[in-house]
Amino acid sequence: VIIILSITQLFSQSGGGSDIIKKIVDNSSVMVSMNQSFYDKDWNDLIDEMEDEGVSVDQNPFRRINFTFMGQFQGDVLGGFKYIKYGFDMESSAQSYGYSLESELDLELNFLKLFLTYPLGNGLYFGVEGGYFLEGKAKVKVTNDYGTNSETETIDRDDWTDEGELSEFDYGVLGQYFFNIQPKLLLTVEGYYGLSKFSEDIDPDETGVPNTYHYLNLGLTYKLGDK
């Protein structure tokens, strides 16, 4: 709510009437980037426990393309929204009494998020980011002594909130760094540290989902206007 109200106020300060659209475009940018997911302590502890129990776990880097639209307002404040994906790509294997089991798990979660950051100088910005869950997709492939089974399942908001009993909201702090490559093209690095939890009561070993996500984002920002 704070982010939405702040952005609304900043847009209102940009002016009114037909000039508002031109001013928005003149101060707007789009970013295409690649983000990598990182996880909270509870999830990392769960992986360690699995390995202590004799399960071999390999977490592949989960990287996805994401898109951001942002505007620059009074005081060089940045605000906008992004379509971003979290998730994990994990392979595991175990053997017990001559019986072998291998699994591949791929979870992709789509979020729409708003952000607001304030300049610290030298291209650095710091602020907040928050949003909500849109949909997801889970891929499971299991191989044992009897063959291989694979399944892909779409996760909608009802699955997430009602069946999974997980919160659809996500928020945290965001740091940004912009480096000019050309007058209208900038290299952008973002770091997001999640502060919320999808569940305060259910452990990740029950939900199969990390409670809190962090990410590192690397991309290119293009200025639409002349400012």
Side-chain angles (χ1 to χ4, degrees), residues 3-129:
I3 296 175
I4 294 174
L5 291 177
S6 299
I7 292 178
T8 302
Q9 181 182 14
L10 290 168
F11 268 107
S12 66
Q13 293 173 354
S14 300
S18 59
D19 291 339
I20 182 67
I21 301 299
K22 184 178 183 304
K23 289 182 179 180
I24 291 175
V25 172
D26 283 344
N27 292 278
S28 296
S29 302
V30 293
M31 178 171 67
V32 179
S33 50
M34 177 80 73
N35 67 291
Q36 177 171 332
S37 295
F38 298 94
Y39 316 102
D40 62 339
K41 183 177 183 299
D42 291 341
W43 180 260
N44 294 328
D45 288 344
L46 174 62
I47 301 301
D48 290 339
E49 290 176 7
M50 293 173 62
E51 292 178 336
D52 291 340
E53 294 174 357
V55 180
S56 176
V57 181
D58 184 13
Q59 289 197 92
N60 302 313
F62 185 90
R63 301 185 180 114
R64 291 295 187 274
I65 296 291
N66 62 87
F67 304 93
T68 302
F69 178 85
M70 72 184 82
Q72 186 173 17
F73 308 101
Q74 288 187 354
D76 291 333
V77 174
L78 299 181
F81 62 88
K82 63 179 64 177
Y83 176 77
I84 193 166
K85 298 182 178 183
Y86 298 153
F88 64 80
D89 180 4
M90 183 171 65
E91 301 175 6
S92 64
S93 62
Q95 288 189 347
S96 178
Y97 301 103
Y99 180 81
S100 63
L101 178 68
E102 297 181 358
S103 65
E104 298 178 15
L105 304 175
D106 190 332
L107 179 69
E108 182 177 282
L109 307 175
N110 304 326
F111 282 80
L112 180 65
K113 307 187 76 177
L114 299 173
F115 68 91
L116 191 68
T117 56
Y118 293 82
L120 300 179
N122 297 320
L124 288 173
Y125 289 76
F126 185 79
V128 292
E129 177 177 293

Side-chain angles (χ1 to χ4, degrees), residues 114-162:
L114 299 173
F115 68 91
L116 191 68
T117 56
Y118 293 82
L120 300 179
N122 297 320
L124 288 173
Y125 289 76
F126 185 79
V128 292
E129 177 177 293
Y132 66 94
F133 172 78
L134 294 175
E135 64 177 1
K137 181 170 61 177
K139 296 180 181 179
V140 182
K141 182 179 179 181
V142 178
T143 302
N144 55 31
D145 293 342
Y146 304 101
T148 299
N149 293 316
S150 60
E151 182 178 354
T152 300
E153 179 181 359
T154 299
I155 306 171
D156 59 26
R157 297 191 69 188
D158 289 337
D159 296 330
W160 185 263
T161 57
D162 296 338

Side-chain angles (χ1 to χ4, degrees), residues 3 82 86 113-117 125-130 170-176 190-196 212-215:
I3 296 175
K82 63 179 64 177
Y86 298 153
K113 307 187 76 177
L114 299 173
F115 68 91
L116 191 68
T117 56
Y125 289 76
F126 185 79
V128 292
E129 177 177 293
D170 172 85
Y171 60 85
V173 294
L174 176 68
Q176 298 173 311
E190 292 185 324
Y192 170 79
Y193 189 87
L195 299 176
S196 60
T212 303
Y213 278 92
H214 319 298
Y215 70 76

Side-chain angles (χ1 to χ4, degrees), residues 163-183:
E163 296 183 20
E165 299 181 2
L166 300 172
S167 171
E168 69 267 45
F169 299 105
D170 172 85
Y171 60 85
V173 294
L174 176 68
Q176 298 173 311
Y177 174 70
F178 297 90
F179 178 79
N180 284 304
I181 301 176
Q182 295 179 359

